[in-house]
Amino acid sequence: MNARLRNATPGALLAVELLVLLVFEARRPLREKTESKWRRDLRNAAVATIAAIPVATVERPVAMRLARMTEQRKFGIVHVARIPEPLRTMVAVVLMDYSMYWWHALTHRVGLLWRFHAVHHVDRDMDASTAFRFHAGDMLLSVLWRALQIAIIGVSPLSYTIWQTSLTLSIAFHHADIELAPALEKRIAWFFVTPHLHGIHHADREDLESANWSSGLTIWDRIHGTFRDDVAHDTLRMGLPAYRDDRDAAFASLMTMPFGAQRDAWVSNHDARA
Ligand SMILES: [Zn+2]
């Protein structure tokens, strides 16, 4: 495959996936909407565009340079055993997915990280646009973790690109507002995170915050006892109880949210006034 085609493939795959998801989101929505989809999509696109800046200018260059170094020096876990190159690539991708489970857990458990990750969680509706609506600070802080992942695992540029592409496709899918047929959903959930599983993680219930932290394969949640699929989706509301006001959903509030005084995310700002 020539270089230009190889570089264009991840973007083309994502574009096709987003089109398919948009069609199914319109036809088979999983959740009722809280606000106008177009206004939310525009706002999420603005937050995502700003988040794309540290990804393009810091994360990607750092990751690729480090990946080239680990490959040249044969550094990292995947070089411990003599295994064929394709297998090494696969193991690296799987270990990247596993270490993302821990990063996701940290973003919920470490105060500084949660300030930024909470911006992703206050979305009162959840669909494919939520998948990219991260605060730029969340992306910037994740570069440190990414560097550790690459150096410790021994991720090559090829493994990194495969992981990054599959992660992007996976997060677009599991944030999507799509109701799958129960039998199909269950079958996919054996291996991959589904919209139902990730919706449980995004519910405005504290007891579900630590459910379904995987971002690709569901095996990590099963191993660590954080897998939950036993909650009926129609009983769930997306978002965080402390940030249910329209004011909290505004673009400026989202961008400044990590820097101000923090609310207890699980104490409702609505019930208190009602
Ligand atoms: Zn989360």
Side-chain angles (χ1 to χ4, degrees):
M1 201 189 290
N2 74 41
R4 196 178 278 181
L5 191 64
R6 199 169 53 223
N7 291 342
T9 304
L13 283 175
L14 179 63
V16 171
E17 186 195 13
L18 287 178
L19 269 175
V20 173
L21 293 178
L22 264 174
V23 170
F24 280 94
E25 282 186 335
R27 289 186 166 193
R28 292 185 59 94
L30 181 58
R31 295 172 281 266
E32 278 182 31
K33 311 265 182 303
T34 305
E35 57 174 317
S36 140
K37 174 156 172 62
W38 289 110
R39 209 174 45 193
R40 246 190 83 252
D41 278 357
L42 272 178
R43 190 192 306 129
N44 285 356
V47 178
T49 303
I50 296 171
I53 298 171
V55 172
T57 60
V58 185
E59 185 193 332
R60 202 165 166 79
V62 167
M64 285 315 248
R65 182 169 296 186
L66 207 56
R68 274 194 293 271
M69 272 169 57
T70 57
E71 189 177 44
Q72 279 162 8
R73 296 182 190 180
K74 304 209 179 307
F75 191 83
I77 295 170
V78 297
H79 291 286
V80 170
R82 255 176 212 266
I83 49 174
E85 200 52 43
L87 186 61
R88 199 191 309 283
T89 303
M90 233 173 73
V91 172
V93 172
V94 170
L95 290 179
M96 281 298 279
D97 189 49
Y98 180 44
S99 42
M100 274 308 280
Y101 172 91
W102 285 106
W103 171 251
H104 191 189
L106 286 172
T107 60
H108 278 265
R109 290 289 176 258
V110 176
L112 171 72
L113 301 180
W114 173 243
R115 280 174 177 257
F116 291 93
H117 188 60
V119 174
H120 172 66
H121 272 272
V122 296
D123 212 348
R124 296 172 297 178
D125 294 315
M126 187 170 90
D127 57 24
S129 75
T130 315
F132 305 97
R133 181 204 118 132
F134 286 93
H135 194 283
D138 199 349
M139 298 295 97
L140 203 56
L141 286 164
S142 74
V143 178
L144 296 169
W145 187 258
R146 196 76 73 250
L148 280 175
Q149 286 177 289
I150 293 168
I152 294 172
I153 297 168
V155 175
S156 68
L158 176 64
S159 316
Y160 184 77
T161 305
I162 294 174
W163 168 75
Q164 181 76 77
T165 306
S166 48
L167 174 78
T168 308
L169 298 177
S170 172
I171 62 170
F173 169 64
H174 64 236
H175 285 87
D177 183 21
I178 296 174
E179 184 172 19
L180 298 168
L184 175 65
E185 146 86 42
K186 243 190 161 52
R187 228 167 287 163
I188 299 175
W190 264 107
F191 304 101
F192 303 108
V193 181
T194 61
H196 170 56
L197 292 176
H198 203 64
I200 292 174
H201 173 66
H202 271 259
D204 68 348
R205 280 171 42 182
E206 192 172 8
D207 62 315
L208 296 176
E209 185 203 10
S210 53
N212 304 337
W213 274 332
S214 295
S215 48
L217 301 171
T218 50
I219 188 173
W220 318 125
D221 276 310
R222 292 177 192 275
I223 289 174
H224 294 291
T226 48
F227 184 85
R228 290 285 303 268
D229 67 347
D230 56 333
V231 190
H233 221 94
D234 50 13
T235 63
L236 299 178
R237 203 166 60 161
M238 301 296 103
L240 294 176
Y243 297 88
R244 293 216 68 87
D245 274 352
D246 287 340
R247 266 178 311 191
D248 301 324
F251 174 75
S253 305
L254 295 176
M255 295 314 293
T256 53
M257 202 179 129
F259 307 106
Q262 298 295 293
R263 303 174 198 166
D264 180 342
W266 308 106
V267 176
S268 170
N269 64 344
H270 267 206
D271 302 344
R273 233 173 289 146

